[in-house]
Amino acid sequence: MMRLGYEAMTGILLALLAAVSWGSIVFISNKLGGDEDSQTLGTTGGALLFAIVVFLYKRPDLSTLVWVVGFISGLFWSLGQKNQFGAVRYLGVAKTAPMSTGLQLIGTTFFGVFIFKEWQTKMNIIVGIAALVLIIAGALLTSLNQEGERGQTKNLKKGLLVLLISTVGFVGYVVLIRWFNIDGWAAVLPQAIGMVTGAFLMTLRDKPYNKYAIRNILTGILWSTGNLGLLLALPRIGVATSFSLSQTGIVISTIGGLFFLNERKSKKQVWRVLLGCLFIIAGGVVMGVTKR
């Protein structure tokens, strides 16, 4: 029993490490500059550097299955990240982060609960759904438009389409690793190679080899820290709980977009966003209860 408690607590802390790391990505990449192509390419470059260091340190066994699944998972991620960066152009950081989170949570929770059967008791299901509702409600609150914004409907439709594509990529990247029970330490290098390959192919036409791509290597190292945390949390607390907890970091990017990137909001919207952040934090805390 003590062992299970320790494993669950470790998994929760690892998922929260991912939350802090990932919650800073969209905000930091925006501050570093560049378009979605240079940001994606730079991020994958940083992820590959991180993966090489981890591989040399841990020396994990890499079977053919690990290489194939990890590589494909990385391709999915590059699809998700490029389109998430692209959505910022239409929605801004403060809207993109929470909306993206809500869509990803729906996808990963579906697989976690209905495919992997991670919530097996009635109490788990009740508490888990309550937590998910809180997080999604918070995401919706933070993403509501200001009345009278010019072109808001058109931009919202374009942004949502881009985010749907992004969601497919992010959900596929997480679910594949869990489906084949790939060890987190072993997955890092193949996954990073898949990420770089995907980013290179998707940005090849625009040739984003510039200073912004180099700057965003820092974004990749930050992302990789969170990624490793999530990969190690998956076998401990499952997809539904670990991914939901990892997404509570959108509070960082949302507040960063409001107060440090000067994304214009009315006073009413600011309070709505802050209330949404409180909902998200509460949801993350409640989600942790499903693994008590």
Side-chain angles (χ1 to χ4, degrees), residues 24-204:
S24 309
I25 287 176
V26 178
F27 165 64
I28 288 177
S29 64
N30 195 283
K31 292 292 286 184
L32 292 173
D35 59 15
E36 63 263 32
D37 293 322
S38 57
Q39 288 172 337
T40 302
L41 191 63
T43 300
T44 57
L48 182 59
L49 288 176
F50 182 93
I52 291 171
V53 172
V54 168
F55 175 78
L56 293 175
Y57 173 71
K58 292 294 292 185
R59 300 283 182 175
D61 293 327
L62 299 180
S63 65
T64 302
L65 179 66
V66 171
W67 275 109
V68 172
V69 174
F71 182 83
I72 296 174
S73 172
L75 291 177
F76 270 105
W77 178 90
S78 59
L79 176 69
Q81 191 61 69
K82 181 181 185 299
N83 283 283
Q84 188 186 65
F85 284 146
V88 173
R89 188 188 335 143
Y90 301 108
L91 304 172
V93 172
K95 289 181 183 177
T96 296
M99 291 176 75
S100 179
T101 292
L103 290 170
Q104 290 175 53
L105 283 171
I106 292 171
T108 54
T109 302
F110 171 82
F111 278 94
V113 175
F114 296 105
I115 306 299
F116 300 132
K117 309 294 183 184
E118 292 172 354
W119 296 347
Q120 297 182 351
T121 68
K122 288 184 178 179
M123 183 57 68
N124 280 156
I125 293 172
I126 292 171
V127 173
I129 291 175
L132 193 62
V133 167
L134 282 171
I135 294 173
I136 293 176
L140 289 174
L141 275 172
T142 60
S143 63
L144 289 176
N145 281 310
Q146 180 178 352
E147 293 180 7
E149 277 187 335
R150 293 182 179 179
Q152 63 177 6
T153 303
K154 184 177 180 181
N155 283 341
L156 181 62
K157 288 181 178 179
K158 288 183 178 179
L160 277 174
L161 178 59
V162 174
L163 281 180
L164 284 173
I165 298 172
S166 173
T167 301
V168 171
F170 280 138
V171 172
Y173 131 78
V174 174
V175 169
L176 273 175
I177 297 297
R178 177 70 175 86
W179 189 287
F180 291 96
N181 291 315
I182 304 298
D183 176 67
W185 292 106
V188 171
L189 183 60
Q191 199 174 59
I193 294 174
M195 290 164 56
V196 170
T197 303
F200 176 76
L201 292 175
M202 286 190 291
T203 63
L204 184 61

